[in-house]
PDB file of all heavy atoms in Angstrom:
ATOM      1  N   GLU A 167      42.622  67.506  31.235  1.00  0.00           N
ATOM      2  CA  GLU A 167      42.972  68.818  30.599  1.00  0.00           C
ATOM      3  C   GLU A 167      43.202  69.871  31.656  1.00  0.00           C
ATOM      4  O   GLU A 167      44.070  70.697  31.543  1.00  0.00           O
ATOM      5  CB  GLU A 167      41.729  69.292  29.723  1.00  0.00           C
ATOM      6  CG  GLU A 167      41.480  68.368  28.566  1.00  0.00           C
ATOM      7  CD  GLU A 167      42.495  68.507  27.415  1.00  0.00           C
ATOM      8  OE1 GLU A 167      42.737  69.603  26.957  1.00  0.00           O
ATOM      9  OE2 GLU A 167      43.066  67.436  27.106  1.00  0.00           O
ATOM     10  N   GLN A 168      42.346  69.709  32.691  1.00  0.00           N
ATOM     11  CA  GLN A 168      42.265  70.956  33.577  1.00  0.00           C
ATOM     12  C   GLN A 168      43.209  70.762  34.801  1.00  0.00           C
ATOM     13  O   GLN A 168      43.623  71.878  35.408  1.00  0.00           O
ATOM     14  CB  GLN A 168      40.868  71.096  34.131  1.00  0.00           C
ATOM     15  CG  GLN A 168      40.246  69.966  34.979  1.00  0.00           C
ATOM     16  CD  GLN A 168      39.538  68.923  34.069  1.00  0.00           C
ATOM     17  OE1 GLN A 168      40.111  68.562  33.058  1.00  0.00           O
ATOM     18  NE2 GLN A 168      38.339  68.650  34.524  1.00  0.00           N
ATOM     19  N   LEU A 169      43.780  69.627  35.094  1.00  0.00           N
ATOM     20  CA  LEU A 169      44.626  69.531  36.309  1.00  0.00           C
ATOM     21  C   LEU A 169      46.063  69.363  35.958  1.00  0.00           C
ATOM     22  O   LEU A 169      46.433  68.694  34.969  1.00  0.00           O
ATOM     23  CB  LEU A 169      44.170  68.344  37.111  1.00  0.00           C
ATOM     24  CG  LEU A 169      42.814  68.338  37.744  1.00  0.00           C
ATOM     25  CD1 LEU A 169      42.497  66.988  38.378  1.00  0.00           C
ATOM     26  CD2 LEU A 169      42.669  69.548  38.675  1.00  0.00           C
ATOM     27  N   SER A 170      46.919  69.953  36.709  1.00  0.00           N
ATOM     28  CA  SER A 170      48.387  69.842  36.525  1.00  0.00           C
ATOM     29  C   SER A 170      48.899  68.490  36.966  1.00  0.00           C
ATOM     30  O   SER A 170      48.186  67.856  37.705  1.00  0.00           O
ATOM     31  CB  SER A 170      49.154  70.957  37.335  1.00  0.00           C
ATOM     32  OG  SER A 170      48.989  70.606  38.688  1.00  0.00           O
ATOM     33  N   TYR A 171      50.096  68.147  36.557  1.00  0.00           N
ATOM     34  CA  TYR A 171      50.733  66.856  36.933  1.00  0.00           C
ATOM     35  C   TYR A 171      50.775  66.837  38.428  1.00  0.00           C
ATOM     36  O   TYR A 171      50.458  65.797  39.060  1.00  0.00           O
ATOM     37  CB  TYR A 171      52.031  66.720  36.367  1.00  0.00           C
ATOM     38  CG  TYR A 171      52.822  65.501  36.704  1.00  0.00           C
ATOM     39  CD1 TYR A 171      52.722  64.335  35.917  1.00  0.00           C
ATOM     40  CD2 TYR A 171      53.615  65.439  37.892  1.00  0.00           C
ATOM     41  CE1 TYR A 171      53.320  63.158  36.277  1.00  0.00           C
ATOM     42  CE2 TYR A 171      54.207  64.278  38.295  1.00  0.00           C
ATOM     43  CZ  TYR A 171      54.115  63.114  37.428  1.00  0.00           C
ATOM     44  OH  TYR A 171      54.676  62.061  37.860  1.00  0.00           O
ATOM     45  N   LYS A 172      51.139  67.864  39.096  1.00  0.00           N
ATOM     46  CA  LYS A 172      51.223  67.950  40.505  1.00  0.00           C
ATOM     47  C   LYS A 172      49.909  67.661  41.249  1.00  0.00           C
ATOM     48  O   LYS A 172      49.904  67.008  42.169  1.00  0.00           O
ATOM     49  CB  LYS A 172      51.726  69.341  40.930  1.00  0.00           C
ATOM     50  CG  LYS A 172      52.251  69.513  42.350  1.00  0.00           C
ATOM     51  CD  LYS A 172      53.567  68.770  42.687  1.00  0.00           C
ATOM     52  CE  LYS A 172      53.717  68.393  44.087  1.00  0.00           C
ATOM     53  NZ  LYS A 172      54.796  67.465  44.366  1.00  0.00           N
ATOM     54  N   ASP A 173      48.831  68.350  40.699  1.00  0.00           N
ATOM     55  CA  ASP A 173      47.485  68.023  41.285  1.00  0.00           C
ATOM     56  C   ASP A 173      47.186  66.552  41.228  1.00  0.00           C
ATOM     57  O   ASP A 173      46.560  66.011  42.194  1.00  0.00           O
ATOM     58  CB  ASP A 173      46.391  68.801  40.411  1.00  0.00           C
ATOM     59  CG  ASP A 173      46.428  70.315  40.742  1.00  0.00           C
ATOM     60  OD1 ASP A 173      46.822  70.662  41.920  1.00  0.00           O
ATOM     61  OD2 ASP A 173      45.954  71.104  39.924  1.00  0.00           O
ATOM     62  N   VAL A 174      47.439  65.954  39.990  1.00  0.00           N
ATOM     63  CA  VAL A 174      47.119  64.542  39.834  1.00  0.00           C
ATOM     64  C   VAL A 174      47.950  63.699  40.844  1.00  0.00           C
ATOM     65  O   VAL A 174      47.390  62.681  41.431  1.00  0.00           O
ATOM     66  CB  VAL A 174      47.336  64.079  38.371  1.00  0.00           C
ATOM     67  CG1 VAL A 174      47.197  62.544  38.172  1.00  0.00           C
ATOM     68  CG2 VAL A 174      46.433  64.816  37.422  1.00  0.00           C
ATOM     69  N   GLU A 175      49.249  64.043  40.973  1.00  0.00           N
ATOM     70  CA  GLU A 175      50.133  63.253  41.830  1.00  0.00           C
ATOM     71  C   GLU A 175      49.630  63.371  43.279  1.00  0.00           C
ATOM     72  O   GLU A 175      49.478  62.356  43.994  1.00  0.00           O
ATOM     73  CB  GLU A 175      51.557  63.881  41.784  1.00  0.00           C
ATOM     74  CG  GLU A 175      52.527  63.055  42.566  1.00  0.00           C
ATOM     75  CD  GLU A 175      53.972  63.695  42.574  1.00  0.00           C
ATOM     76  OE1 GLU A 175      54.014  64.948  42.305  1.00  0.00           O
ATOM     77  OE2 GLU A 175      54.876  62.973  42.868  1.00  0.00           O
ATOM     78  N   LEU A 176      49.236  64.520  43.731  1.00  0.00           N
ATOM     79  CA  LEU A 176      48.795  64.680  45.092  1.00  0.00           C
ATOM     80  C   LEU A 176      47.344  63.906  45.249  1.00  0.00           C
ATOM     81  O   LEU A 176      47.145  63.336  46.254  1.00  0.00           O
ATOM     82  CB  LEU A 176      48.477  66.167  45.394  1.00  0.00           C
ATOM     83  CG  LEU A 176      49.711  67.080  45.576  1.00  0.00           C
ATOM     84  CD1 LEU A 176      49.334  68.489  45.657  1.00  0.00           C
ATOM     85  CD2 LEU A 176      50.452  66.546  46.841  1.00  0.00           C
ATOM     86  N   SER A 177      46.535  64.011  44.163  1.00  0.00           N
ATOM     87  CA  SER A 177      45.258  63.291  44.220  1.00  0.00           C
ATOM     88  C   SER A 177      45.427  61.794  44.377  1.00  0.00           C
ATOM     89  O   SER A 177      44.754  61.127  45.201  1.00  0.00           O
ATOM     90  CB  SER A 177      44.388  63.588  43.001  1.00  0.00           C
ATOM     91  OG  SER A 177      44.189  64.959  42.861  1.00  0.00           O
ATOM     92  N   VAL A 178      46.338  61.266  43.552  1.00  0.00           N
ATOM     93  CA  VAL A 178      46.520  59.744  43.613  1.00  0.00           C
ATOM     94  C   VAL A 178      47.068  59.325  44.993  1.00  0.00           C
ATOM     95  O   VAL A 178      46.566  58.395  45.553  1.00  0.00           O
ATOM     96  CB  VAL A 178      47.480  59.252  42.451  1.00  0.00           C
ATOM     97  CG1 VAL A 178      47.949  57.885  42.650  1.00  0.00           C
ATOM     98  CG2 VAL A 178      46.753  59.462  41.126  1.00  0.00           C
ATOM     99  N   LYS A 179      47.942  60.100  45.461  1.00  0.00           N
ATOM    100  CA  LYS A 179      48.500  59.775  46.842  1.00  0.00           C
ATOM    101  C   LYS A 179      47.443  59.914  47.894  1.00  0.00           C
ATOM    102  O   LYS A 179      47.410  59.081  48.819  1.00  0.00           O
ATOM    103  CB  LYS A 179      49.747  60.591  47.158  1.00  0.00           C
ATOM    104  CG  LYS A 179      50.902  60.168  46.165  1.00  0.00           C
ATOM    105  CD  LYS A 179      52.246  61.012  46.471  1.00  0.00           C
ATOM    106  CE  LYS A 179      53.301  60.333  45.605  1.00  0.00           C
ATOM    107  NZ  LYS A 179      54.568  61.151  45.616  1.00  0.00           N
ATOM    108  N   LEU A 180      46.629  60.910  47.756  1.00  0.00           N
ATOM    109  CA  LEU A 180      45.576  61.153  48.773  1.00  0.00           C
ATOM    110  C   LEU A 180      44.487  59.891  48.692  1.00  0.00           C
ATOM    111  O   LEU A 180      44.120  59.410  49.701  1.00  0.00           O
ATOM    112  CB  LEU A 180      44.878  62.426  48.595  1.00  0.00           C
ATOM    113  CG  LEU A 180      43.838  62.835  49.640  1.00  0.00           C
ATOM    114  CD1 LEU A 180      44.345  62.823  51.023  1.00  0.00           C
ATOM    115  CD2 LEU A 180      43.162  64.146  49.297  1.00  0.00           C
ATOM    116  N   ILE A 181      44.219  59.473  47.534  1.00  0.00           N
ATOM    117  CA  ILE A 181      43.242  58.476  47.327  1.00  0.00           C
ATOM    118  C   ILE A 181      43.788  57.146  47.975  1.00  0.00           C
ATOM    119  O   ILE A 181      43.088  56.577  48.787  1.00  0.00           O
ATOM    120  CB  ILE A 181      42.892  58.195  45.868  1.00  0.00           C
ATOM    121  CG1 ILE A 181      42.084  59.354  45.206  1.00  0.00           C
ATOM    122  CG2 ILE A 181      42.134  56.805  45.702  1.00  0.00           C
ATOM    123  CD1 ILE A 181      42.024  59.169  43.672  1.00  0.00           C
ATOM    124  N   LEU A 182      45.046  56.825  47.661  1.00  0.00           N
ATOM    125  CA  LEU A 182      45.572  55.660  48.231  1.00  0.00           C
ATOM    126  C   LEU A 182      45.728  55.683  49.815  1.00  0.00           C
ATOM    127  O   LEU A 182      45.456  54.730  50.493  1.00  0.00           O
ATOM    128  CB  LEU A 182      46.963  55.314  47.685  1.00  0.00           C
ATOM    129  CG  LEU A 182      46.800  54.871  46.150  1.00  0.00           C
ATOM    130  CD1 LEU A 182      48.205  54.880  45.578  1.00  0.00           C
ATOM    131  CD2 LEU A 182      46.096  53.549  46.020  1.00  0.00           C
ATOM    132  N   GLU A 183      46.178  56.887  50.212  1.00  0.00           N
ATOM    133  CA  GLU A 183      46.307  57.099  51.680  1.00  0.00           C
ATOM    134  C   GLU A 183      44.919  56.971  52.411  1.00  0.00           C
ATOM    135  O   GLU A 183      44.781  56.340  53.419  1.00  0.00           O
ATOM    136  CB  GLU A 183      46.983  58.447  51.981  1.00  0.00           C
ATOM    137  CG  GLU A 183      46.944  58.892  53.439  1.00  0.00           C
ATOM    138  CD  GLU A 183      47.577  57.938  54.408  1.00  0.00           C
ATOM    139  OE1 GLU A 183      48.383  57.077  53.959  1.00  0.00           O
ATOM    140  OE2 GLU A 183      47.135  57.859  55.625  1.00  0.00           O
ATOM    141  N   HIS A 184      43.911  57.540  51.761  1.00  0.00           N
ATOM    142  CA  HIS A 184      42.611  57.458  52.493  1.00  0.00           C
ATOM    143  C   HIS A 184      42.009  56.093  52.401  1.00  0.00           C
ATOM    144  O   HIS A 184      41.426  55.614  53.414  1.00  0.00           O
ATOM    145  CB  HIS A 184      41.708  58.491  51.767  1.00  0.00           C
ATOM    146  CG  HIS A 184      40.416  58.784  52.475  1.00  0.00           C
ATOM    147  ND1 HIS A 184      40.437  59.279  53.832  1.00  0.00           N
ATOM    148  CD2 HIS A 184      39.077  58.674  52.148  1.00  0.00           C
ATOM    149  CE1 HIS A 184      39.227  59.455  54.213  1.00  0.00           C
ATOM    150  NE2 HIS A 184      38.347  59.158  53.228  1.00  0.00           N
ATOM    151  N   MET A 185      42.291  55.366  51.278  1.00  0.00           N
ATOM    152  CA  MET A 185      41.859  53.930  51.210  1.00  0.00           C
ATOM    153  C   MET A 185      42.531  53.149  52.365  1.00  0.00           C
ATOM    154  O   MET A 185      41.908  52.345  52.992  1.00  0.00           O
ATOM    155  CB  MET A 185      42.008  53.422  49.896  1.00  0.00           C
ATOM    156  CG  MET A 185      41.089  53.892  48.790  1.00  0.00           C
ATOM    157  SD  MET A 185      41.527  53.451  47.162  1.00  0.00           S
ATOM    158  CE  MET A 185      41.125  51.700  47.166  1.00  0.00           C
ATOM    159  N   SER A 186      43.822  53.391  52.510  1.00  0.00           N
ATOM    160  CA  SER A 186      44.577  52.643  53.477  1.00  0.00           C
ATOM    161  C   SER A 186      44.147  52.986  54.826  1.00  0.00           C
ATOM    162  O   SER A 186      43.831  52.050  55.717  1.00  0.00           O
ATOM    163  CB  SER A 186      46.105  52.978  53.360  1.00  0.00           C
ATOM    164  OG  SER A 186      46.608  52.676  52.165  1.00  0.00           O
ATOM    165  N   LYS A 187      43.812  54.209  55.135  1.00  0.00           N
ATOM    166  CA  LYS A 187      43.445  54.631  56.434  1.00  0.00           C
ATOM    167  C   LYS A 187      42.082  54.064  56.845  1.00  0.00           C
ATOM    168  O   LYS A 187      41.866  53.621  57.901  1.00  0.00           O
ATOM    169  CB  LYS A 187      43.425  56.187  56.445  1.00  0.00           C
ATOM    170  CG  LYS A 187      43.254  56.861  57.770  1.00  0.00           C
ATOM    171  CD  LYS A 187      43.399  58.319  57.601  1.00  0.00           C
ATOM    172  CE  LYS A 187      42.536  58.950  58.717  1.00  0.00           C
ATOM    173  NZ  LYS A 187      42.356  60.472  58.373  1.00  0.00           N
ATOM    174  N   MET A 188      41.170  54.114  55.864  1.00  0.00           N
ATOM    175  CA  MET A 188      39.844  53.588  56.160  1.00  0.00           C
ATOM    176  C   MET A 188      39.873  52.033  56.405  1.00  0.00           C
ATOM    177  O   MET A 188      39.183  51.604  57.253  1.00  0.00           O
ATOM    178  CB  MET A 188      38.924  53.907  55.001  1.00  0.00           C
ATOM    179  CG  MET A 188      38.568  55.368  54.782  1.00  0.00           C
ATOM    180  SD  MET A 188      37.591  55.949  56.240  1.00  0.00           S
ATOM    181  CE  MET A 188      38.709  57.099  56.962  1.00  0.00           C
ATOM    182  N   LEU A 189      40.673  51.345  55.526  1.00  0.00           N
ATOM    183  CA  LEU A 189      40.713  49.870  55.764  1.00  0.00           C
ATOM    184  C   LEU A 189      41.350  49.564  57.102  1.00  0.00           C
ATOM    185  O   LEU A 189      40.883  48.708  57.853  1.00  0.00           O
ATOM    186  CB  LEU A 189      41.692  49.295  54.683  1.00  0.00           C
ATOM    187  CG  LEU A 189      41.038  48.711  53.472  1.00  0.00           C
ATOM    188  CD1 LEU A 189      42.105  48.121  52.488  1.00  0.00           C
ATOM    189  CD2 LEU A 189      40.048  47.544  53.853  1.00  0.00           C
ATOM    190  N   ALA A 190      42.378  50.382  57.484  1.00  0.00           N
ATOM    191  CA  ALA A 190      43.102  50.145  58.725  1.00  0.00           C
ATOM    192  C   ALA A 190      42.222  50.575  59.880  1.00  0.00           C
ATOM    193  O   ALA A 190      42.476  50.117  61.082  1.00  0.00           O
ATOM    194  CB  ALA A 190      44.440  50.964  58.773  1.00  0.00           C
ATOM    195  N   SER A 191      41.132  51.200  59.668  1.00  0.00           N
ATOM    196  CA  SER A 191      40.169  51.496  60.779  1.00  0.00           C
ATOM    197  C   SER A 191      38.944  50.616  60.702  1.00  0.00           C
ATOM    198  O   SER A 191      38.022  50.804  61.375  1.00  0.00           O
ATOM    199  CB  SER A 191      39.792  52.947  60.817  1.00  0.00           C
ATOM    200  OG  SER A 191      39.029  53.241  59.635  1.00  0.00           O
ATOM    201  N   GLY A 192      39.049  49.530  59.806  1.00  0.00           N
ATOM    202  CA  GLY A 192      38.036  48.459  59.785  1.00  0.00           C
ATOM    203  C   GLY A 192      36.890  48.805  58.871  1.00  0.00           C
ATOM    204  O   GLY A 192      35.867  47.989  58.794  1.00  0.00           O
ATOM    205  N   GLU A 193      37.039  49.871  58.029  1.00  0.00           N
ATOM    206  CA  GLU A 193      36.091  50.211  57.091  1.00  0.00           C
ATOM    207  C   GLU A 193      36.112  49.377  55.768  1.00  0.00           C
ATOM    208  O   GLU A 193      37.311  49.184  55.276  1.00  0.00           O
ATOM    209  CB  GLU A 193      36.145  51.703  56.765  1.00  0.00           C
ATOM    210  CG  GLU A 193      35.074  52.316  56.073  1.00  0.00           C
ATOM    211  CD  GLU A 193      33.973  52.893  56.927  1.00  0.00           C
ATOM    212  OE1 GLU A 193      34.275  53.824  57.654  1.00  0.00           O
ATOM    213  OE2 GLU A 193      32.868  52.428  56.794  1.00  0.00           O
ATOM    214  N   ARG A 194      35.116  48.996  55.203  1.00  0.00           N
ATOM    215  CA  ARG A 194      35.049  48.409  53.930  1.00  0.00           C
ATOM    216  C   ARG A 194      35.206  49.478  52.818  1.00  0.00           C
ATOM    217  O   ARG A 194      34.773  50.593  53.024  1.00  0.00           O
ATOM    218  CB  ARG A 194      33.704  47.753  53.612  1.00  0.00           C
ATOM    219  CG  ARG A 194      33.575  46.349  54.178  1.00  0.00           C
ATOM    220  CD  ARG A 194      32.228  45.891  53.967  1.00  0.00           C
ATOM    221  NE  ARG A 194      31.869  45.706  52.501  1.00  0.00           N
ATOM    222  CZ  ARG A 194      32.149  44.616  51.797  1.00  0.00           C
ATOM    223  NH1 ARG A 194      32.766  43.621  52.295  1.00  0.00           N
ATOM    224  NH2 ARG A 194      31.944  44.596  50.536  1.00  0.00           N
TER     225      ARG A 194
END
Side-chain angles (χ1 to χ4, degrees):
Chain A
E167 297 288 304
Q168 62 269 51
L169 296 176
S170 67
Y171 179 88
K172 192 72 200 165
D173 285 332
V174 174
E175 185 183 22
L176 289 171
S177 301
V178 166
K179 290 182 174 169
L180 183 59
I181 291 171
L182 292 170
E183 170 55 27
H184 196 54
M185 288 171 69
S186 301
K187 191 174 152 196
M188 289 294 112
L189 263 180
S191 65
E193 188 92 62
R194 276 174 65 83

